[in-house]
Amino acid sequence: MTRDELAEVVRSRVAEVVGVPTAEITETTDLRAEHDVDSLELMEIGTRLEQALGTRIDASNLMDMRNVGHAVDLLHSRLRERV
């Protein structure tokens, strides 16, 4: 999966949980500051990403993500390690 494809998956899963159109979620979107996402919502995003990508995401990684682009970078790196 390319980084761009992964970014689209992340953006769509985030949009589902936050309840906004995917177009409103960009790589610079800060989920906590802009959408008031709490830890439970982050866990829901993580669960949806795990299901979509077939990989485990540690809760600590979810809490460390600064914005959507940072999440994409972390996941892209993790998925490349599996190959």
Side-chain angles (χ1 to χ4, degrees), residues 3 7 10-15 18-37 42 45 62 64-72:
R3 188 187 183 287
V10 172
R11 289 176 54 242
S12 69
R13 295 315 183 276
V14 167
V18 175
V20 299
T22 303
E24 287 187 27
I25 305 297
T26 68
E27 292 213 15
T28 61
T29 299
D30 181 324
L31 297 175
R32 290 178 187 98
E34 295 175 44
H35 295 281
D36 202 28
V37 170
L42 280 176
I45 291 167
L62 289 171
D64 291 342
M65 294 178 186
R66 296 183 299 272
N67 58 37
V68 173
H70 185 229
V72 172

Side-chain angles (χ1 to χ4, degrees), residues 30-81:
D30 181 324
L31 297 175
R32 290 178 187 98
E34 295 175 44
H35 295 281
D36 202 28
V37 170
D38 62 22
S39 59
L40 291 176
E41 290 168 312
L42 280 176
M43 295 304 294
E44 177 63 23
I45 291 167
T47 299
R48 290 180 187 218
L49 288 171
E50 286 178 339
Q51 292 170 348
L53 302 172
T55 191
R56 174 130 166 68
I57 303 170
D58 294 327
S60 62
N61 288 348
L62 289 171
M63 300 305 161
D64 291 342
M65 294 178 186
R66 296 183 299 272
N67 58 37
V68 173
H70 185 229
V72 172
D73 289 339
L74 289 173
L75 289 169
H76 189 249
S77 176
R78 169 172 270 203
L79 292 174
R80 286 184 21 197
E81 290 172 0

